[in-house]
Amino acid sequence: MIHDEILAWLCETDPARLVELWRNADETRRRHVGDEVHLRGLVEISNHCTRFCGYCGLRAGNRRIERYRMSKDEIFAAACRAVDLGYGTIVLQSGEDPDITVAWMDRLIRRVKAETPLAVTLSLGERTPDELAAWRAAGADRYLLKFETSNPRLYAQIHPPRAGQSHDRMSLLTVLRDLGYEVGSGAMVGIPGQTHDDLARDIGLFRLLDLDMVGVGPYVPHPDTPLGRNVATTETPDADIHIPDAGDQVPHSELMTCKVVALTRLVCPWANIPATTALATTAGESGRLRALARGANVVMPNLTPPAYRRLYAIYPGKDCPDETAEACADGLARQIASIGRRLGLGRGDSRNYNRRLHACDPSAIRPCSPDDTRATMD
């Protein structure tokens, strides 16, 4: 599938044609990763952040948020809960918190790996190669670092770098690959100023990066942010935020998000693709189920203690803020069974990662043609 084909599907409005897309994505999912839905226990370990992202409620400039940082014992208790609930993976997520040090996280990872069978996924933002190497050596299995948009101008407007530093998430994704992590990334759908062509390029980049995990969700700004208020601020890091006019603006809708999920499955058939929390927040249970029927194979139930969960306010209206871990697990099991799928067992490692690591079927790896790469190499 080349760039122009991806772009045409993103612009498609005919329901009958879209049924064809949903069917092809679901069949590709079934053939390449099977009918299991793998559950990843999400633990939001800290809402401290040094960044000034224009849309995120955790941004350093938000003075209205109550900050927290879970202790290692609290996090380990959540990991044990994941084991009790039958999950194979724990995802440790936070803002870019400098007090989550190399040594602190090293000790936590080693304890989880020594005392549980869980795979450990980290989502801690932009960290140095030395930090990433230390956590990989401690036993971390996966790392999730979304590039959000492949349009560098748009990225810089919504996600300013730290003072005196440039950002290069693409190079960090290469570092993660070289360190042996399962590598996850992804994009937002419907960023103000994002065009359909931008989004098609994002999907092309998923393929070029040969990602093991791909997360896509709708853009949902927090009201206590510049983009949530649709204004620039006087804070220095936000001074350059400006949303350009775009006659081809991508909607941040459930339908568009599902199109991206489906197209991602077609271009990355062996990757793990979640029905994301942001989609469940904006579209509810039905949105999550539709994503699972259109290419997704992973769900991330929240194991963060409810008292903290309400404070991890990346965006408003988060899904199930007061639900217990047990109630969440029971509800997801019923939902997954209702669409004829079954819960995955074990770690649920990425088949894409295993193919690359063990060269299971080199003949199945089709080199990208010039048309394929044009989406991101112009």
Side-chain angles (χ1 to χ4, degrees), residues 117-152:
L118 296 170
V120 173
T121 298
L122 303 179
S123 181
L124 306 176
E126 296 174 25
R127 311 295 295 223
T128 69
D130 287 345
E131 289 173 311
L132 299 172
W135 296 334
R136 176 63 179 152
D141 301 279
R142 307 167 186 152
Y143 203 98
L144 175 61
L145 182 68
K146 291 185 177 181
F147 62 74
E148 307 296 14
T149 173
S150 57
N151 181 328

PDB file of all heavy atoms in Angstrom, residues 117-152:
ATOM      1  N   PRO A 117       6.365 -13.007  36.790  1.00  0.00           N
ATOM      2  CA  PRO A 117       6.645 -13.427  35.414  1.00  0.00           C
ATOM      3  C   PRO A 117       6.350 -12.353  34.373  1.00  0.00           C
ATOM      4  O   PRO A 117       6.351 -12.633  33.173  1.00  0.00           O
ATOM      5  CB  PRO A 117       5.687 -14.614  35.245  1.00  0.00           C
ATOM      6  CG  PRO A 117       4.493 -14.238  36.064  1.00  0.00           C
ATOM      7  CD  PRO A 117       5.039 -13.496  37.259  1.00  0.00           C
ATOM      8  N   LEU A 118       6.110 -11.132  34.797  1.00  0.00           N
ATOM      9  CA  LEU A 118       5.614 -10.093  33.908  1.00  0.00           C
ATOM     10  C   LEU A 118       6.683  -9.577  32.945  1.00  0.00           C
ATOM     11  O   LEU A 118       7.856  -9.441  33.308  1.00  0.00           O
ATOM     12  CB  LEU A 118       5.100  -8.899  34.719  1.00  0.00           C
ATOM     13  CG  LEU A 118       3.888  -9.141  35.621  1.00  0.00           C
ATOM     14  CD1 LEU A 118       3.673  -7.941  36.521  1.00  0.00           C
ATOM     15  CD2 LEU A 118       2.649  -9.414  34.781  1.00  0.00           C
ATOM     16  N   ALA A 119       6.261  -9.251  31.739  1.00  0.00           N
ATOM     17  CA  ALA A 119       7.050  -8.380  30.875  1.00  0.00           C
ATOM     18  C   ALA A 119       6.869  -6.951  31.373  1.00  0.00           C
ATOM     19  O   ALA A 119       5.808  -6.581  31.867  1.00  0.00           O
ATOM     20  CB  ALA A 119       6.594  -8.501  29.424  1.00  0.00           C
ATOM     21  N   VAL A 120       7.927  -6.145  31.241  1.00  0.00           N
ATOM     22  CA  VAL A 120       7.895  -4.758  31.706  1.00  0.00           C
ATOM     23  C   VAL A 120       8.026  -3.831  30.503  1.00  0.00           C
ATOM     24  O   VAL A 120       9.018  -3.881  29.769  1.00  0.00           O
ATOM     25  CB  VAL A 120       9.024  -4.472  32.709  1.00  0.00           C
ATOM     26  CG1 VAL A 120       9.072  -2.980  33.054  1.00  0.00           C
ATOM     27  CG2 VAL A 120       8.836  -5.300  33.973  1.00  0.00           C
ATOM     28  N   THR A 121       7.007  -3.001  30.324  1.00  0.00           N
ATOM     29  CA  THR A 121       7.037  -1.949  29.311  1.00  0.00           C
ATOM     30  C   THR A 121       7.204  -0.613  30.013  1.00  0.00           C
ATOM     31  O   THR A 121       6.510  -0.334  30.993  1.00  0.00           O
ATOM     32  CB  THR A 121       5.730  -1.928  28.490  1.00  0.00           C
ATOM     33  OG1 THR A 121       5.589  -3.168  27.804  1.00  0.00           O
ATOM     34  CG2 THR A 121       5.741  -0.798  27.469  1.00  0.00           C
ATOM     35  N   LEU A 122       8.115   0.203  29.516  1.00  0.00           N
ATOM     36  CA  LEU A 122       8.332   1.539  30.064  1.00  0.00           C
ATOM     37  C   LEU A 122       7.811   2.583  29.085  1.00  0.00           C
ATOM     38  O   LEU A 122       7.978   2.448  27.873  1.00  0.00           O
ATOM     39  CB  LEU A 122       9.823   1.788  30.317  1.00  0.00           C
ATOM     40  CG  LEU A 122      10.536   0.806  31.242  1.00  0.00           C
ATOM     41  CD1 LEU A 122      12.014   1.181  31.354  1.00  0.00           C
ATOM     42  CD2 LEU A 122       9.888   0.762  32.615  1.00  0.00           C
ATOM     43  N   SER A 123       7.194   3.625  29.626  1.00  0.00           N
ATOM     44  CA  SER A 123       6.760   4.769  28.826  1.00  0.00           C
ATOM     45  C   SER A 123       7.034   6.012  29.666  1.00  0.00           C
ATOM     46  O   SER A 123       6.143   6.554  30.320  1.00  0.00           O
ATOM     47  CB  SER A 123       5.272   4.657  28.470  1.00  0.00           C
ATOM     48  OG  SER A 123       4.858   5.747  27.679  1.00  0.00           O
ATOM     49  N   LEU A 124       8.294   6.441  29.645  1.00  0.00           N
ATOM     50  CA  LEU A 124       8.774   7.486  30.543  1.00  0.00           C
ATOM     51  C   LEU A 124       9.279   8.706  29.786  1.00  0.00           C
ATOM     52  O   LEU A 124       9.958   9.551  30.359  1.00  0.00           O
ATOM     53  CB  LEU A 124       9.900   6.928  31.436  1.00  0.00           C
ATOM     54  CG  LEU A 124       9.562   5.648  32.222  1.00  0.00           C
ATOM     55  CD1 LEU A 124      10.782   5.158  32.983  1.00  0.00           C
ATOM     56  CD2 LEU A 124       8.392   5.859  33.158  1.00  0.00           C
ATOM     57  N   GLY A 125       8.950   8.805  28.498  1.00  0.00           N
ATOM     58  CA  GLY A 125       9.329   9.963  27.718  1.00  0.00           C
ATOM     59  C   GLY A 125      10.739   9.870  27.174  1.00  0.00           C
ATOM     60  O   GLY A 125      11.319   8.786  27.054  1.00  0.00           O
ATOM     61  N   GLU A 126      11.287  11.021  26.829  1.00  0.00           N
ATOM     62  CA  GLU A 126      12.618  11.092  26.228  1.00  0.00           C
ATOM     63  C   GLU A 126      13.670  10.975  27.327  1.00  0.00           C
ATOM     64  O   GLU A 126      13.811  11.863  28.172  1.00  0.00           O
ATOM     65  CB  GLU A 126      12.788  12.408  25.471  1.00  0.00           C
ATOM     66  CG  GLU A 126      11.846  12.557  24.288  1.00  0.00           C
ATOM     67  CD  GLU A 126      11.925  13.937  23.634  1.00  0.00           C
ATOM     68  OE1 GLU A 126      12.976  14.596  23.753  1.00  0.00           O
ATOM     69  OE2 GLU A 126      10.919  14.355  23.024  1.00  0.00           O
ATOM     70  N   ARG A 127      14.415   9.902  27.321  1.00  0.00           N
ATOM     71  CA  ARG A 127      15.494   9.665  28.274  1.00  0.00           C
ATOM     72  C   ARG A 127      16.801   9.491  27.507  1.00  0.00           C
ATOM     73  O   ARG A 127      16.797   9.244  26.304  1.00  0.00           O
ATOM     74  CB  ARG A 127      15.200   8.433  29.134  1.00  0.00           C
ATOM     75  CG  ARG A 127      13.824   8.384  29.762  1.00  0.00           C
ATOM     76  CD  ARG A 127      13.559   9.489  30.781  1.00  0.00           C
ATOM     77  NE  ARG A 127      14.378   9.406  31.951  1.00  0.00           N
ATOM     78  CZ  ARG A 127      13.942   9.594  33.207  1.00  0.00           C
ATOM     79  NH1 ARG A 127      12.655   9.863  33.418  1.00  0.00           N
ATOM     80  NH2 ARG A 127      14.755   9.524  34.223  1.00  0.00           N
ATOM     81  N   THR A 128      17.919   9.602  28.192  1.00  0.00           N
ATOM     82  CA  THR A 128      19.209   9.506  27.520  1.00  0.00           C
ATOM     83  C   THR A 128      19.490   8.066  27.111  1.00  0.00           C
ATOM     84  O   THR A 128      18.966   7.114  27.720  1.00  0.00           O
ATOM     85  CB  THR A 128      20.349   9.990  28.425  1.00  0.00           C
ATOM     86  OG1 THR A 128      20.516   9.047  29.500  1.00  0.00           O
ATOM     87  CG2 THR A 128      20.065  11.376  28.979  1.00  0.00           C
ATOM     88  N   PRO A 129      20.345   7.862  26.097  1.00  0.00           N
ATOM     89  CA  PRO A 129      20.713   6.496  25.727  1.00  0.00           C
ATOM     90  C   PRO A 129      21.290   5.699  26.892  1.00  0.00           C
ATOM     91  O   PRO A 129      21.039   4.493  27.002  1.00  0.00           O
ATOM     92  CB  PRO A 129      21.747   6.707  24.610  1.00  0.00           C
ATOM     93  CG  PRO A 129      21.319   7.988  23.968  1.00  0.00           C
ATOM     94  CD  PRO A 129      20.851   8.852  25.111  1.00  0.00           C
ATOM     95  N   ASP A 130      22.054   6.346  27.775  1.00  0.00           N
ATOM     96  CA  ASP A 130      22.617   5.628  28.924  1.00  0.00           C
ATOM     97  C   ASP A 130      21.519   5.155  29.869  1.00  0.00           C
ATOM     98  O   ASP A 130      21.584   4.042  30.416  1.00  0.00           O
ATOM     99  CB  ASP A 130      23.603   6.517  29.679  1.00  0.00           C
ATOM    100  CG  ASP A 130      24.921   6.705  28.936  1.00  0.00           C
ATOM    101  OD1 ASP A 130      25.176   5.933  27.985  1.00  0.00           O
ATOM    102  OD2 ASP A 130      25.673   7.632  29.297  1.00  0.00           O
ATOM    103  N   GLU A 131      20.506   5.991  30.098  1.00  0.00           N
ATOM    104  CA  GLU A 131      19.388   5.581  30.949  1.00  0.00           C
ATOM    105  C   GLU A 131      18.651   4.400  30.320  1.00  0.00           C
ATOM    106  O   GLU A 131      18.321   3.407  31.003  1.00  0.00           O
ATOM    107  CB  GLU A 131      18.424   6.748  31.147  1.00  0.00           C
ATOM    108  CG  GLU A 131      18.955   7.865  32.024  1.00  0.00           C
ATOM    109  CD  GLU A 131      18.030   9.073  32.047  1.00  0.00           C
ATOM    110  OE1 GLU A 131      17.607   9.538  30.976  1.00  0.00           O
ATOM    111  OE2 GLU A 131      17.723   9.549  33.166  1.00  0.00           O
ATOM    112  N   LEU A 132      18.379   4.507  29.034  1.00  0.00           N
ATOM    113  CA  LEU A 132      17.659   3.437  28.344  1.00  0.00           C
ATOM    114  C   LEU A 132      18.453   2.134  28.381  1.00  0.00           C
ATOM    115  O   LEU A 132      17.883   1.052  28.555  1.00  0.00           O
ATOM    116  CB  LEU A 132      17.362   3.859  26.910  1.00  0.00           C
ATOM    117  CG  LEU A 132      16.477   5.101  26.746  1.00  0.00           C
ATOM    118  CD1 LEU A 132      16.413   5.526  25.288  1.00  0.00           C
ATOM    119  CD2 LEU A 132      15.071   4.840  27.285  1.00  0.00           C
ATOM    120  N   ALA A 133      19.772   2.235  28.225  1.00  0.00           N
ATOM    121  CA  ALA A 133      20.619   1.035  28.271  1.00  0.00           C
ATOM    122  C   ALA A 133      20.603   0.410  29.658  1.00  0.00           C
ATOM    123  O   ALA A 133      20.550  -0.820  29.802  1.00  0.00           O
ATOM    124  CB  ALA A 133      22.041   1.397  27.855  1.00  0.00           C
ATOM    125  N   ALA A 134      20.644   1.246  30.701  1.00  0.00           N
ATOM    126  CA  ALA A 134      20.643   0.718  32.067  1.00  0.00           C
ATOM    127  C   ALA A 134      19.343  -0.016  32.363  1.00  0.00           C
ATOM    128  O   ALA A 134      19.346  -1.095  32.981  1.00  0.00           O
ATOM    129  CB  ALA A 134      20.854   1.858  33.064  1.00  0.00           C
ATOM    130  N   TRP A 135      18.218   0.533  31.919  1.00  0.00           N
ATOM    131  CA  TRP A 135      16.929  -0.104  32.205  1.00  0.00           C
ATOM    132  C   TRP A 135      16.752  -1.376  31.382  1.00  0.00           C
ATOM    133  O   TRP A 135      16.148  -2.339  31.854  1.00  0.00           O
ATOM    134  CB  TRP A 135      15.796   0.884  31.962  1.00  0.00           C
ATOM    135  CG  TRP A 135      15.858   2.047  32.907  1.00  0.00           C
ATOM    136  CD1 TRP A 135      16.428   2.062  34.161  1.00  0.00           C
ATOM    137  CD2 TRP A 135      15.351   3.355  32.692  1.00  0.00           C
ATOM    138  NE1 TRP A 135      16.299   3.301  34.724  1.00  0.00           N
ATOM    139  CE2 TRP A 135      15.648   4.118  33.863  1.00  0.00           C
ATOM    140  CE3 TRP A 135      14.674   3.975  31.644  1.00  0.00           C
ATOM    141  CZ2 TRP A 135      15.286   5.458  33.998  1.00  0.00           C
ATOM    142  CZ3 TRP A 135      14.309   5.312  31.770  1.00  0.00           C
ATOM    143  CH2 TRP A 135      14.605   6.046  32.928  1.00  0.00           C
ATOM    144  N   ARG A 136      17.293  -1.396  30.188  1.00  0.00           N
ATOM    145  CA  ARG A 136      17.267  -2.639  29.401  1.00  0.00           C
ATOM    146  C   ARG A 136      18.095  -3.712  30.095  1.00  0.00           C
ATOM    147  O   ARG A 136      17.676  -4.869  30.194  1.00  0.00           O
ATOM    148  CB  ARG A 136      17.789  -2.364  27.992  1.00  0.00           C
ATOM    149  CG  ARG A 136      17.896  -3.605  27.105  1.00  0.00           C
ATOM    150  CD  ARG A 136      16.556  -4.234  26.856  1.00  0.00           C
ATOM    151  NE  ARG A 136      16.680  -5.392  25.990  1.00  0.00           N
ATOM    152  CZ  ARG A 136      15.860  -6.441  25.991  1.00  0.00           C
ATOM    153  NH1 ARG A 136      14.837  -6.476  26.833  1.00  0.00           N
ATOM    154  NH2 ARG A 136      16.042  -7.440  25.169  1.00  0.00           N
ATOM    155  N   ALA A 137      19.280  -3.335  30.608  1.00  0.00           N
ATOM    156  CA  ALA A 137      20.130  -4.288  31.322  1.00  0.00           C
ATOM    157  C   ALA A 137      19.459  -4.791  32.590  1.00  0.00           C
ATOM    158  O   ALA A 137      19.668  -5.938  33.018  1.00  0.00           O
ATOM    159  CB  ALA A 137      21.475  -3.643  31.656  1.00  0.00           C
ATOM    160  N   ALA A 138      18.624  -3.945  33.210  1.00  0.00           N
ATOM    161  CA  ALA A 138      17.907  -4.354  34.419  1.00  0.00           C
ATOM    162  C   ALA A 138      16.779  -5.329  34.125  1.00  0.00           C
ATOM    163  O   ALA A 138      16.268  -5.986  35.044  1.00  0.00           O
ATOM    164  CB  ALA A 138      17.347  -3.128  35.135  1.00  0.00           C
ATOM    165  N   GLY A 139      16.367  -5.423  32.846  1.00  0.00           N
ATOM    166  CA  GLY A 139      15.342  -6.388  32.483  1.00  0.00           C
ATOM    167  C   GLY A 139      14.121  -5.825  31.795  1.00  0.00           C
ATOM    168  O   GLY A 139      13.204  -6.583  31.455  1.00  0.00           O
ATOM    169  N   ALA A 140      14.060  -4.500  31.580  1.00  0.00           N
ATOM    170  CA  ALA A 140      12.909  -3.941  30.868  1.00  0.00           C
ATOM    171  C   ALA A 140      12.825  -4.540  29.472  1.00  0.00           C
ATOM    172  O   ALA A 140      13.839  -4.691  28.782  1.00  0.00           O
ATOM    173  CB  ALA A 140      13.014  -2.423  30.788  1.00  0.00           C
ATOM    174  N   ASP A 141      11.617  -4.896  29.056  1.00  0.00           N
ATOM    175  CA  ASP A 141      11.414  -5.602  27.791  1.00  0.00           C
ATOM    176  C   ASP A 141      11.034  -4.690  26.643  1.00  0.00           C
ATOM    177  O   ASP A 141      11.426  -4.941  25.491  1.00  0.00           O
ATOM    178  CB  ASP A 141      10.300  -6.645  27.964  1.00  0.00           C
ATOM    179  CG  ASP A 141      10.620  -7.658  29.039  1.00  0.00           C
ATOM    180  OD1 ASP A 141      11.358  -8.601  28.744  1.00  0.00           O
ATOM    181  OD2 ASP A 141      10.138  -7.485  30.174  1.00  0.00           O
ATOM    182  N   ARG A 142      10.257  -3.653  26.930  1.00  0.00           N
ATOM    183  CA  ARG A 142       9.654  -2.843  25.877  1.00  0.00           C
ATOM    184  C   ARG A 142       9.708  -1.375  26.267  1.00  0.00           C
ATOM    185  O   ARG A 142       9.742  -1.046  27.455  1.00  0.00           O
ATOM    186  CB  ARG A 142       8.189  -3.252  25.646  1.00  0.00           C
ATOM    187  CG  ARG A 142       8.019  -4.742  25.391  1.00  0.00           C
ATOM    188  CD  ARG A 142       6.576  -5.176  25.489  1.00  0.00           C
ATOM    189  NE  ARG A 142       6.474  -6.636  25.384  1.00  0.00           N
ATOM    190  CZ  ARG A 142       5.520  -7.370  25.915  1.00  0.00           C
ATOM    191  NH1 ARG A 142       4.548  -6.784  26.605  1.00  0.00           N
ATOM    192  NH2 ARG A 142       5.509  -8.679  25.766  1.00  0.00           N
ATOM    193  N   TYR A 143       9.688  -0.529  25.240  1.00  0.00           N
ATOM    194  CA  TYR A 143       9.649   0.901  25.499  1.00  0.00           C
ATOM    195  C   TYR A 143       8.711   1.541  24.500  1.00  0.00           C
ATOM    196  O   TYR A 143       8.783   1.262  23.296  1.00  0.00           O
ATOM    197  CB  TYR A 143      11.040   1.541  25.388  1.00  0.00           C
ATOM    198  CG  TYR A 143      11.149   2.844  26.170  1.00  0.00           C
ATOM    199  CD1 TYR A 143      11.716   2.867  27.435  1.00  0.00           C
ATOM    200  CD2 TYR A 143      10.677   4.044  25.641  1.00  0.00           C
ATOM    201  CE1 TYR A 143      11.803   4.049  28.166  1.00  0.00           C
ATOM    202  CE2 TYR A 143      10.755   5.229  26.357  1.00  0.00           C
ATOM    203  CZ  TYR A 143      11.323   5.224  27.620  1.00  0.00           C
ATOM    204  OH  TYR A 143      11.401   6.393  28.353  1.00  0.00           O
ATOM    205  N   LEU A 144       7.834   2.407  25.009  1.00  0.00           N
ATOM    206  CA  LEU A 144       6.866   3.112  24.170  1.00  0.00           C
ATOM    207  C   LEU A 144       7.211   4.596  24.151  1.00  0.00           C
ATOM    208  O   LEU A 144       7.251   5.249  25.195  1.00  0.00           O
ATOM    209  CB  LEU A 144       5.454   2.908  24.729  1.00  0.00           C
ATOM    210  CG  LEU A 144       4.324   3.675  24.032  1.00  0.00           C
ATOM    211  CD1 LEU A 144       4.212   3.270  22.570  1.00  0.00           C
ATOM    212  CD2 LEU A 144       2.999   3.430  24.757  1.00  0.00           C
ATOM    213  N   LEU A 145       7.478   5.120  22.952  1.00  0.00           N
ATOM    214  CA  LEU A 145       7.811   6.528  22.768  1.00  0.00           C
ATOM    215  C   LEU A 145       7.121   7.006  21.497  1.00  0.00           C
ATOM    216  O   LEU A 145       7.607   6.782  20.388  1.00  0.00           O
ATOM    217  CB  LEU A 145       9.325   6.712  22.653  1.00  0.00           C
ATOM    218  CG  LEU A 145       9.823   8.154  22.505  1.00  0.00           C
ATOM    219  CD1 LEU A 145       9.585   8.950  23.797  1.00  0.00           C
ATOM    220  CD2 LEU A 145      11.310   8.172  22.151  1.00  0.00           C
ATOM    221  N   LYS A 146       5.983   7.644  21.647  1.00  0.00           N
ATOM    222  CA  LYS A 146       5.228   8.080  20.471  1.00  0.00           C
ATOM    223  C   LYS A 146       5.888   9.295  19.825  1.00  0.00           C
ATOM    224  O   LYS A 146       6.313  10.216  20.516  1.00  0.00           O
ATOM    225  CB  LYS A 146       3.787   8.424  20.867  1.00  0.00           C
ATOM    226  CG  LYS A 146       2.967   7.202  21.274  1.00  0.00           C
ATOM    227  CD  LYS A 146       1.520   7.590  21.524  1.00  0.00           C
ATOM    228  CE  LYS A 146       0.672   6.371  21.859  1.00  0.00           C
ATOM    229  NZ  LYS A 146      -0.748   6.725  22.076  1.00  0.00           N
ATOM    230  N   PHE A 147       5.940   9.280  18.485  1.00  0.00           N
ATOM    231  CA  PHE A 147       6.452  10.466  17.797  1.00  0.00           C
ATOM    232  C   PHE A 147       5.346  11.482  17.530  1.00  0.00           C
ATOM    233  O   PHE A 147       5.608  12.598  17.123  1.00  0.00           O
ATOM    234  CB  PHE A 147       7.200  10.097  16.509  1.00  0.00           C
ATOM    235  CG  PHE A 147       6.393   9.408  15.438  1.00  0.00           C
ATOM    236  CD1 PHE A 147       5.470  10.117  14.680  1.00  0.00           C
ATOM    237  CD2 PHE A 147       6.569   8.060  15.155  1.00  0.00           C
ATOM    238  CE1 PHE A 147       4.740   9.504  13.674  1.00  0.00           C
ATOM    239  CE2 PHE A 147       5.851   7.434  14.146  1.00  0.00           C
ATOM    240  CZ  PHE A 147       4.924   8.158  13.403  1.00  0.00           C
ATOM    241  N   GLU A 148       4.095  11.118  17.750  1.00  0.00           N
ATOM    242  CA  GLU A 148       2.901  11.970  17.718  1.00  0.00           C
ATOM    243  C   GLU A 148       2.544  12.493  16.328  1.00  0.00           C
ATOM    244  O   GLU A 148       1.405  12.429  15.912  1.00  0.00           O
ATOM    245  CB  GLU A 148       3.017  13.146  18.693  1.00  0.00           C
ATOM    246  CG  GLU A 148       3.350  12.755  20.127  1.00  0.00           C
ATOM    247  CD  GLU A 148       2.283  11.912  20.815  1.00  0.00           C
ATOM    248  OE1 GLU A 148       1.378  11.386  20.148  1.00  0.00           O
ATOM    249  OE2 GLU A 148       2.373  11.750  22.046  1.00  0.00           O
ATOM    250  N   THR A 149       3.494  13.045  15.600  1.00  0.00           N
ATOM    251  CA  THR A 149       3.276  13.463  14.217  1.00  0.00           C
ATOM    252  C   THR A 149       4.617  13.470  13.507  1.00  0.00           C
ATOM    253  O   THR A 149       5.639  13.846  14.096  1.00  0.00           O
ATOM    254  CB  THR A 149       2.614  14.845  14.107  1.00  0.00           C
ATOM    255  OG1 THR A 149       2.592  15.244  12.718  1.00  0.00           O
ATOM    256  CG2 THR A 149       3.359  15.899  14.903  1.00  0.00           C
ATOM    257  N   SER A 150       4.614  13.050  12.240  1.00  0.00           N
ATOM    258  CA  SER A 150       5.846  13.051  11.450  1.00  0.00           C
ATOM    259  C   SER A 150       6.122  14.411  10.829  1.00  0.00           C
ATOM    260  O   SER A 150       7.171  14.597  10.191  1.00  0.00           O
ATOM    261  CB  SER A 150       5.749  11.988  10.344  1.00  0.00           C
ATOM    262  OG  SER A 150       4.616  12.228   9.515  1.00  0.00           O
ATOM    263  N   ASN A 151       5.226  15.361  10.997  1.00  0.00           N
ATOM    264  CA  ASN A 151       5.416  16.716  10.489  1.00  0.00           C
ATOM    265  C   ASN A 151       6.245  17.495  11.522  1.00  0.00           C
ATOM    266  O   ASN A 151       5.743  17.834  12.596  1.00  0.00           O
ATOM    267  CB  ASN A 151       4.066  17.393  10.279  1.00  0.00           C
ATOM    268  CG  ASN A 151       4.177  18.794   9.727  1.00  0.00           C
ATOM    269  OD1 ASN A 151       5.126  19.516   9.999  1.00  0.00           O
ATOM    270  ND2 ASN A 151       3.182  19.204   8.949  1.00  0.00           N
ATOM    271  N   PRO A 152       7.525  17.781  11.237  1.00  0.00           N
ATOM    272  CA  PRO A 152       8.375  18.394  12.260  1.00  0.00           C
ATOM    273  C   PRO A 152       7.919  19.781  12.685  1.00  0.00           C
ATOM    274  O   PRO A 152       8.069  20.161  13.859  1.00  0.00           O
ATOM    275  CB  PRO A 152       9.768  18.428  11.603  1.00  0.00           C
ATOM    276  CG  PRO A 152       9.517  18.335  10.138  1.00  0.00           C
ATOM    277  CD  PRO A 152       8.270  17.510   9.983  1.00  0.00           C
TER     278      PRO A 152
END
